[in-house]
């Protein structure tokens, strides 16, 4: 029976990192278990890679399947990442749309406030003019009232003099009383 060591190489001589060596040993044992190769399993446990074509083919197939599974998982996770990204993008888009709508609403409100402030200023100006005219009219009414009161007082004084003269003269003063 030929020596197993002659058909193996130390896995530390393959230029692999410690993590890669640990993975090689693990997967070599997995591949040997599925192919029922005692020699490959024994080589793996001794830290050696079995260099026969059937063991290497079994390991190669195992690693291909593993890589395919990893690739499928990567594609799935990439897809999920894209979905999450699109959902976030949609949410962000909705936030932007909502923000745009709120900004437009705010601008509309501000425009209405501006219009109301202009109307307020116009109405305040009109109110001031009306107050001024009201003040003037009230002032004129007071002046007219004062002048008519003073005229009455003067006329009343004249009437009294007239009345007393008329009484003396025998004329009636009832016509002139107010």
């Amino acid at each position: 029976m030929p020596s197993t060591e002659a058909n193996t190489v130390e896995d530390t001589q393959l230029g692999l990192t410690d993590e890669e060596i640990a993975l090689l040993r693990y997967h070599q044992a997995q591949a040997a278990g599925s192919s029922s190769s005692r020699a490959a399993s024994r080589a793996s446990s001794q830290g050696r890679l079995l260099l026969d074509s059937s063991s290497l083919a079994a390991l190669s197939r195992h690693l291909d399947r593993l890589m395919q599974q990893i690739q499928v998982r990567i594609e799935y996770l990439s897809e999920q990442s894209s979905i999450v990204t699109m959902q976030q993008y949609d949410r962000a888009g909705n936030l932007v749309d909502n923000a745009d709508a709120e900004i437009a609403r705010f601008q509309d409100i501000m425009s209405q406030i501006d219009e109301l402030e202009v109307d307020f200023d116009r109405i305040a100006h009109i109110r001031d003019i009306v107050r001024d005219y009201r003040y003037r009219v009230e002032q004129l009414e007071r002046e007219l009232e004062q002048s008519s009161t003073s005229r009455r007082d003067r006329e009343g004084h004249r009437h009294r003099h007239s009345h007393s003269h008329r009484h003396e003269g025998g004329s009636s003063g009832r016509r002139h009383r107010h």
Side-chain angles (χ1 to χ4, degrees):
M1 186 166 169
S3 169
T4 314
E5 285 210 23
N7 295 333
T8 63
V9 66
E10 284 189 40
D11 52 17
T12 56
Q13 300 298 312
L14 298 173
L16 301 174
T17 66
D18 290 342
E19 287 178 358
E20 291 169 333
I21 291 170
L23 282 172
L24 173 64
R25 288 176 183 172
Y26 174 80
H27 289 290
Q28 187 176 1
Q30 293 290 314
S34 65
S35 69
S36 300
S37 170
R38 284 186 183 167
S41 181
R42 190 173 41 250
S44 171
S45 66
Q46 294 173 357
R48 302 186 72 76
L49 178 62
L50 188 59
L51 297 177
D52 74 84
S53 62
S54 66
S55 295
L56 290 174
L59 179 58
S60 182
R61 282 190 305 274
H62 174 78
L63 294 175
D64 285 342
R65 280 191 307 274
L66 183 61
M67 289 177 64
Q68 185 180 7
Q69 291 169 355
I70 291 171
Q71 185 62 36
V72 166
R73 185 73 178 152
I74 287 171
E75 288 172 7
Y76 171 77
L77 292 174
S78 293
E79 212 175 284
Q80 292 302 306
S81 174
S82 293
I83 289 170
V84 168
T85 301
M86 289 307 294
Q87 288 172 341
Q88 291 302 320
Y89 180 77
D90 288 347
R91 285 186 196 135
N94 289 338
L95 287 175
V96 168
D97 290 345
N98 290 341
D100 287 345
E102 290 301 315
I103 289 169
R105 182 171 169 250
F106 176 78
Q107 289 172 335
D108 183 50
I109 290 169
M110 293 306 295
S111 176
Q112 290 178 32
I113 289 172
D114 289 345
E115 289 175 20
L116 288 172
E117 285 176 344
V118 168
D119 288 347
F120 182 88
D121 290 344
R122 288 177 182 155
I123 290 171
H125 181 72
I126 292 168
R127 182 204 59 200
D128 292 344
I129 291 171
V130 168
R131 279 185 179 170
D132 185 49
Y133 273 95
R134 178 179 157 212
Y135 174 77
R136 288 181 188 180
V137 167
E138 287 174 352
Q139 187 68 29
L140 286 172
E141 285 175 347
R142 279 193 295 274
E143 287 175 12
L144 283 173
E145 191 177 303
Q146 285 176 355
S147 72
S148 71
T149 304
S150 65
R151 196 177 311 132
R152 273 189 253 142
D153 287 345
R154 278 182 293 189
E155 286 178 8
H157 184 67
R158 269 192 249 143
H159 287 304
R160 281 189 218 125
H161 291 292
S162 306
H163 291 298
S164 61
H165 291 296
R166 287 185 186 152
H167 281 284
E168 292 172 356
S171 64
S172 172
R174 285 185 191 183
R175 202 173 7 157
H176 297 286
R177 282 194 181 173
H178 297 278

